[in-house]
Amino acid sequence: MTLSLLLLAAMAPFRPPAVPLVTHDPYLSVWSAADQLTTGPTRHWTGTPQQLHSMVRIDGAAYRIMGADRTEPARQVGVEVLPTRTIYEFTAGGVDLTLTFLTPSLPQDLEVLSRPATYIIWQARSADGKPHSIGVYFDASANLVVDNPTQAATWSRFQLDGAPVLRMGSQEQPVLAKKGDNLRIDWGYLYLAAPPGPGVSLALADHAAAWGAFAATGRLPESDDLEVHTPQRSRLPVLAAAFDLGAVGAEPISRHLVLAYDDLFSIEYFHRRLRPYWRRRGATAADLLRAALREYELLAARCRRFDEELMADLRKAGGEEYARLSALAYRQTMAAHKLTADLDGTPLFFSKENFSNGCIATVDVTYPSSPFFLLFNPALLKAQLKPVMDYASLERWPFPFAPHDLGAYPHANGQVYGGGEKTEERQMPVEESGNMLLMTAALARAEGNAGFATRYWPLLSKWAAYLKDKGLDPENQLSTDDFAGRLAHNANLSIKAILALGAFAQLCETTGQSQEAALYRKTAGDFARRWAPMADDGDHYRLAFDKPGTWSQKYNLVWDRLLGLNLFPPEVARKEIAFYKTRQQSYGLPLDNRELYTKLDWVLWTATLSESAEDFQALARPACRFAHETPDRVPLTDWFWTHNAKQRGFQARSVVGGVYIKLLAEKGLAHDLRRR
């Protein structure tokens, strides 16, 4: 066994703060917030229970494997979170059982990526050399289709090409009626579908009745419950399924279900209702289920191969702890977005600021997650930038800088943050303008052309002119770290503006505007040379130019390397990295000298400035340990305290995709990973 394999075997199992189960978008996002899948209810990312239950019946004895019912639990012996799969291992009654949640979030395949369908897979085999009679039970509760349990639901069943299907939705169906943060979907329909074949049965029932019947007899209730319209206060309506696996020996036997959600309409975009991307050509829920059932074997193989190759790349780039953290961040990043289609079928990809302020299409949320999409499929970054560009092109956006957001999710009807469209109060002018220029330039390098930039050239030129005037020494304003308050003369924000000017010069060069390119390249270079003496504080650089004795993470500097701008001498990053290592806490590097909290995405960006694997690990490993040891059992937070690993705020946000910046730096913007 090699040394690397020995070290891997010696590492303790990774304990995610919450485990992704069914993760597609901000409304269909179900997690387990416990070490054992049997010690609590499964939950929406907001923490509200959205119960999924499962049990296995072995030789007449029932063992639960998901949910907190009174039935004896099987012993959970392992859980592994991979980019597209979560795999639980159990043992009970002489049987080994594997429960897998497979969400085919394959970024190069927008058709598959946009399908809100997760495969739930059971595999059983005898572990004691004897054959065992095995049955499997699963149910999904009505809490997945309502915002709160006082709302009533309806249900039905039908056959689809011989496959049994159950359907459930809220009775009221208030499509896109609500907007904001702490909400769950209460329109559209949840579907449970099973491949046709012997030994499968489905039922519409109260959870207690269905669970109790299967535990006692191995069968579901013989008739459907007709009382589902009542609110879910004293009873819990479920879509239930059961499989009879028969006699199982040493050869594994597998069964699977499809759990899908058709939201009908996904986003209100300037008062137009957008369909989900998979519906863009008129597809229906029946088409969704047919495709999911038909392509199971193919997608399972594709996801297995994708996971194996990506995990190998992550380990090579940053080590095992980095790979584990990145795998946990993968589906969370995807599930904090919704992929829709415009009227002409153009993909539009909208983020949600989960437990931040509920905004939709926030520019400084897209910015930290952009390395993820540049790495896997730049078309998804373009689909996030386009709505912002189109909005900023309208006369209703009156400012010479880029907007912050497009509204409150799922209503993308215009900025709601700060001064909105009315005043410059609490805007982020340098922040968002710099973000848009940097991401547009990165997109051009990743795609090998500046076609997207050319379509919005007047906007980009306006924002570059604004940064030329305001960027070197920013006025008192907010940055993306707005929770820290306004700050004048922000040295890290100045770096962003300088690099954005260099990025614009690069775009000018790509589009044949050599004179403009030379002008902006000279400006960016002049600013970079002035920056160091303005920020210098001896063995490090300041938080703000006018505040000696302060410091901050200069995470924006990473774009100098990613875009090949080479505006700042290497000594700037080297001096900062050496200083950062003296300011480490148990769970990472604080954001700056003002507080002990940090941001997970920025820590990994800062670590990527390192020139050695040792320095990268010195900065990244404590943050990876945070995810393993935090006491807060929520989907990965990006804002936490570095001295005790407690959550400071935010959870389930897409910005954790920023941890992929290390792999992007290793591969480069023009890499071939996207062609897998």
Side-chain angles (χ1 to χ4, degrees), residues 370-391:
S370 62
F372 181 97
F373 300 105
L374 289 164
L375 179 68
F376 292 113
N377 188 352
L380 288 170
L381 179 59
K382 186 190 301 183
Q384 294 177 75
L385 298 181
K386 186 179 187 301
V388 177
M389 293 289 204
D390 289 341
Y391 172 51

Short mmCIF file of all heavy atoms in Angstrom, two decimals, residues 370-391:
data_model
loop_
_atom_site.label_atom_id
_atom_site.label_comp_id
_atom_site.label_asym_id
_atom_site.label_seq_id
_atom_site.Cartn_x
_atom_site.Cartn_y
_atom_site.Cartn_z
N SER A 370 -18.45 31.66 -8.96
CA SER A 370 -18.09 31.60 -10.38
C SER A 370 -16.98 30.59 -10.70
O SER A 370 -17.02 29.99 -11.79
CB SER A 370 -17.72 32.99 -10.90
OG SER A 370 -16.58 33.50 -10.22
N PRO A 371 -15.99 30.36 -9.83
CA PRO A 371 -14.99 29.34 -10.17
C PRO A 371 -15.60 27.97 -10.44
O PRO A 371 -15.12 27.23 -11.30
CB PRO A 371 -14.08 29.32 -8.94
CG PRO A 371 -14.20 30.69 -8.36
CD PRO A 371 -15.63 31.06 -8.58
N PHE A 372 -16.66 27.63 -9.72
CA PHE A 372 -17.34 26.35 -9.92
C PHE A 372 -17.85 26.23 -11.35
O PHE A 372 -17.64 25.21 -12.03
CB PHE A 372 -18.49 26.25 -8.92
CG PHE A 372 -19.28 24.97 -8.97
CD1 PHE A 372 -19.01 23.94 -8.09
CD2 PHE A 372 -20.33 24.81 -9.88
CE1 PHE A 372 -19.75 22.76 -8.12
CE2 PHE A 372 -21.06 23.65 -9.92
CZ PHE A 372 -20.78 22.62 -9.03
N PHE A 373 -18.50 27.26 -11.85
CA PHE A 373 -19.12 27.20 -13.17
C PHE A 373 -18.09 27.40 -14.27
O PHE A 373 -18.21 26.81 -15.36
CB PHE A 373 -20.25 28.22 -13.25
CG PHE A 373 -21.31 27.95 -12.22
CD1 PHE A 373 -21.41 28.73 -11.08
CD2 PHE A 373 -22.16 26.87 -12.36
CE1 PHE A 373 -22.36 28.46 -10.11
CE2 PHE A 373 -23.11 26.58 -11.39
CZ PHE A 373 -23.21 27.37 -10.27
N LEU A 374 -17.05 28.20 -14.04
CA LEU A 374 -15.96 28.30 -15.00
C LEU A 374 -15.25 26.96 -15.16
O LEU A 374 -14.79 26.62 -16.26
CB LEU A 374 -14.96 29.37 -14.55
CG LEU A 374 -15.46 30.81 -14.64
CD1 LEU A 374 -14.57 31.73 -13.82
CD2 LEU A 374 -15.51 31.28 -16.09
N LEU A 375 -15.19 26.20 -14.09
CA LEU A 375 -14.54 24.90 -14.11
C LEU A 375 -15.35 23.86 -14.86
O LEU A 375 -14.84 23.12 -15.70
CB LEU A 375 -14.29 24.44 -12.67
CG LEU A 375 -13.63 23.08 -12.46
CD1 LEU A 375 -12.18 23.11 -12.93
CD2 LEU A 375 -13.69 22.69 -10.99
N PHE A 376 -16.67 23.82 -14.60
CA PHE A 376 -17.50 22.73 -15.09
C PHE A 376 -18.28 23.05 -16.36
O PHE A 376 -18.43 22.20 -17.22
CB PHE A 376 -18.47 22.29 -14.00
CG PHE A 376 -17.82 21.62 -12.84
CD1 PHE A 376 -17.81 22.22 -11.60
CD2 PHE A 376 -17.20 20.40 -12.99
CE1 PHE A 376 -17.19 21.61 -10.51
CE2 PHE A 376 -16.57 19.77 -11.93
CZ PHE A 376 -16.57 20.38 -10.68
N ASN A 377 -18.79 24.26 -16.49
CA ASN A 377 -19.53 24.64 -17.70
C ASN A 377 -19.76 26.14 -17.71
O ASN A 377 -20.68 26.64 -17.06
CB ASN A 377 -20.88 23.91 -17.77
CG ASN A 377 -21.57 24.15 -19.10
OD1 ASN A 377 -21.14 24.95 -19.91
ND2 ASN A 377 -22.68 23.46 -19.33
N PRO A 378 -18.95 26.90 -18.44
CA PRO A 378 -19.11 28.35 -18.47
C PRO A 378 -20.48 28.81 -18.95
O PRO A 378 -20.89 29.94 -18.66
CB PRO A 378 -18.01 28.79 -19.45
CG PRO A 378 -17.00 27.71 -19.41
CD PRO A 378 -17.77 26.45 -19.20
N ALA A 379 -21.21 27.95 -19.68
CA ALA A 379 -22.55 28.33 -20.12
C ALA A 379 -23.46 28.63 -18.94
O ALA A 379 -24.37 29.45 -19.04
CB ALA A 379 -23.15 27.22 -20.98
N LEU A 380 -23.21 27.97 -17.81
CA LEU A 380 -24.02 28.22 -16.61
C LEU A 380 -23.67 29.57 -15.98
O LEU A 380 -24.53 30.20 -15.37
CB LEU A 380 -23.84 27.08 -15.60
CG LEU A 380 -24.51 25.77 -16.01
CD1 LEU A 380 -24.07 24.64 -15.09
CD2 LEU A 380 -26.03 25.90 -15.99
N LEU A 381 -22.43 29.99 -16.09
CA LEU A 381 -22.08 31.33 -15.63
C LEU A 381 -22.69 32.38 -16.55
O LEU A 381 -23.25 33.38 -16.09
CB LEU A 381 -20.56 31.50 -15.57
CG LEU A 381 -20.08 32.90 -15.13
CD1 LEU A 381 -20.61 33.25 -13.74
CD2 LEU A 381 -18.55 32.98 -15.16
N LYS A 382 -22.62 32.14 -17.84
CA LYS A 382 -23.24 33.06 -18.80
C LYS A 382 -24.74 33.20 -18.52
O LYS A 382 -25.30 34.30 -18.60
CB LYS A 382 -23.02 32.55 -20.21
CG LYS A 382 -23.50 33.50 -21.30
CD LYS A 382 -23.49 32.84 -22.68
CE LYS A 382 -22.11 32.37 -23.05
NZ LYS A 382 -22.09 31.80 -24.42
N ALA A 383 -25.38 32.08 -18.16
CA ALA A 383 -26.82 32.09 -17.89
C ALA A 383 -27.14 32.84 -16.61
O ALA A 383 -28.31 33.22 -16.40
CB ALA A 383 -27.34 30.66 -17.80
N GLN A 384 -26.15 33.09 -15.75
CA GLN A 384 -26.35 33.93 -14.57
C GLN A 384 -26.07 35.40 -14.88
O GLN A 384 -26.72 36.30 -14.34
CB GLN A 384 -25.42 33.46 -13.44
CG GLN A 384 -25.75 32.09 -12.90
CD GLN A 384 -24.76 31.65 -11.84
OE1 GLN A 384 -24.79 32.11 -10.70
NE2 GLN A 384 -23.88 30.74 -12.20
N LEU A 385 -25.08 35.65 -15.73
CA LEU A 385 -24.71 37.02 -16.05
C LEU A 385 -25.72 37.70 -16.97
O LEU A 385 -25.95 38.91 -16.87
CB LEU A 385 -23.33 37.05 -16.69
CG LEU A 385 -22.15 36.54 -15.85
CD1 LEU A 385 -20.86 36.65 -16.64
CD2 LEU A 385 -22.05 37.29 -14.53
N LYS A 386 -26.32 36.95 -17.88
CA LYS A 386 -27.20 37.54 -18.89
C LYS A 386 -28.37 38.32 -18.28
O LYS A 386 -28.64 39.46 -18.70
CB LYS A 386 -27.72 36.47 -19.85
CG LYS A 386 -28.53 37.03 -21.01
CD LYS A 386 -29.01 35.96 -21.96
CE LYS A 386 -29.67 36.57 -23.19
NZ LYS A 386 -30.83 37.42 -22.87
N PRO A 387 -29.11 37.76 -17.30
CA PRO A 387 -30.21 38.55 -16.74
C PRO A 387 -29.75 39.86 -16.11
O PRO A 387 -30.45 40.87 -16.18
CB PRO A 387 -30.83 37.61 -15.70
CG PRO A 387 -30.43 36.24 -16.11
CD PRO A 387 -29.07 36.40 -16.72
N VAL A 388 -28.58 39.85 -15.49
CA VAL A 388 -28.05 41.06 -14.87
C VAL A 388 -27.70 42.09 -15.94
O VAL A 388 -28.01 43.28 -15.82
CB VAL A 388 -26.83 40.74 -14.00
CG1 VAL A 388 -26.23 42.01 -13.40
CG2 VAL A 388 -27.20 39.76 -12.89
N MET A 389 -27.05 41.62 -17.00
CA MET A 389 -26.69 42.51 -18.09
C MET A 389 -27.94 43.11 -18.75
O MET A 389 -27.99 44.32 -19.04
CB MET A 389 -25.88 41.75 -19.14
CG MET A 389 -24.51 41.31 -18.68
SD MET A 389 -23.36 42.69 -18.50
CE MET A 389 -21.79 41.85 -18.67
N ASP A 390 -28.93 42.29 -18.99
CA ASP A 390 -30.15 42.78 -19.62
C ASP A 390 -30.86 43.80 -18.73
O ASP A 390 -31.39 44.81 -19.23
CB ASP A 390 -31.08 41.61 -19.94
CG ASP A 390 -30.56 40.75 -21.08
OD1 ASP A 390 -29.70 41.23 -21.85
OD2 ASP A 390 -31.00 39.59 -21.19
N TYR A 391 -30.86 43.55 -17.44
CA TYR A 391 -31.48 44.48 -16.50
C TYR A 391 -30.74 45.81 -16.48
O TYR A 391 -31.34 46.89 -16.57
CB TYR A 391 -31.50 43.86 -15.11
CG TYR A 391 -31.94 44.77 -14.00
CD1 TYR A 391 -33.12 45.50 -14.07
CD2 TYR A 391 -31.18 44.87 -12.82
CE1 TYR A 391 -33.53 46.33 -13.03
CE2 TYR A 391 -31.59 45.68 -11.78
CZ TYR A 391 -32.75 46.42 -11.89
OH TYR A 391 -33.15 47.23 -10.85
#
